[in-house]
């Protein structure tokens, strides 16, 4: 899989699943991961084989459980927009009624992202990776 340069620039690797690479969005205001199917030239879920679509759903279910348990979210926002980055990727974002953007979507709500400090990013990655490892 060739990773889109915007995804590479704005996220960091967490772990690999059978179909998807899991990355953390470098946006410290929200616990936010991205699932990216390791398939070339895929823009839409329907571009995946039926088997890969089923695997994507399994991995999305796992990612949702990870985000819910690791962050005790009030709500999970899940989306696959692709308007700017065409490479298929699914966002899984833990949301809280007290977060800065609630009840609005996080996309485009802020002009600039708030990036993690390197130690905070490392801790967050370890937390998410450990949560995936526990479910595997």
């Amino acid at each position: 899989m060739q990773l889109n340069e915007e995804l590479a620039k704005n996220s960091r690797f967490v772990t690999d699943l059978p179909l998807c690479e899991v990355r953390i969005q470098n946006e410290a205001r929200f616990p936010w991961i991205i699932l990216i199917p390791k398939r070339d030239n895929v823009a839409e879920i329907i571009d995946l084989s039926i088997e890969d679509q089923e695997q994507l759903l399994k991995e999305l279910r796992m990612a949702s459980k990870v985000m819910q348990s690791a962050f005790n979210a009030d709500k999970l926002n899940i989306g696959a927009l692709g308007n700017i980055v065409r490479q298929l990727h699914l966002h899984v974002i833990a949301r809280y009624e007290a977060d800065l953007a609630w009840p609005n979507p996080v996309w485009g709500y802020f002009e600039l992202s708030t990036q993690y400090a390197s130690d905070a990013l490392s801790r967050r990655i370890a937390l998410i990776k450990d949560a995936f490892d526990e479910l595997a």
Side-chain angles (χ1 to χ4, degrees):
M1 166 192 74
Q2 179 70 33
L3 183 63
N4 174 277
E5 99 178 31
E6 282 296 309
L7 291 174
K9 180 177 79 172
N10 295 318
S11 65
R12 300 295 173 263
F13 178 81
V14 175
T15 194
D16 269 317
L17 301 175
L19 175 66
C20 293
E21 180 174 300
V22 179
R23 299 181 67 86
I24 185 171
Q25 184 75 16
N26 196 3
E27 171 50 83
R29 290 175 282 212
F30 308 98
W32 183 340
I33 61 172
I34 304 167
L35 301 178
I36 306 166
K38 296 178 282 191
R39 301 291 185 262
D40 288 321
N41 304 313
V42 174
E44 305 293 344
I45 292 171
I46 58 173
D47 295 337
L48 294 168
S49 70
I50 294 296
E51 294 80 12
D52 281 351
Q53 289 179 43
E54 291 170 353
Q55 184 63 34
L56 180 62
L57 185 56
K58 288 177 186 175
E59 294 179 14
L60 179 58
R61 185 172 36 252
M62 177 186 271
S64 297
K65 288 179 180 180
V66 162
M67 295 302 281
Q68 185 64 47
S69 65
F71 299 104
N72 196 29
D74 294 329
K75 178 74 176 101
L76 293 177
N77 287 178
I78 299 170
L81 301 178
N83 295 346
I84 295 173
V85 174
R86 295 285 179 168
Q87 181 176 12
L88 179 60
H89 61 288
L90 283 75
H91 300 266
V92 182
I93 308 163
R95 297 294 307 275
Y96 305 93
E97 292 179 9
D99 74 37
L100 295 171
W102 187 269
N104 300 307
V106 298
W107 289 280
Y109 193 75
F110 303 100
E111 287 186 34
L112 299 173
S113 68
T114 300
Q115 296 191 352
Y116 286 97
S118 64
D119 59 329
L121 180 60
S122 297
R123 286 192 309 272
R124 180 65 54 96
I125 288 171
L127 172 72
I128 295 167
K129 183 176 182 339
D130 289 349
F132 270 103
D133 290 347
E134 286 177 20
L135 283 177

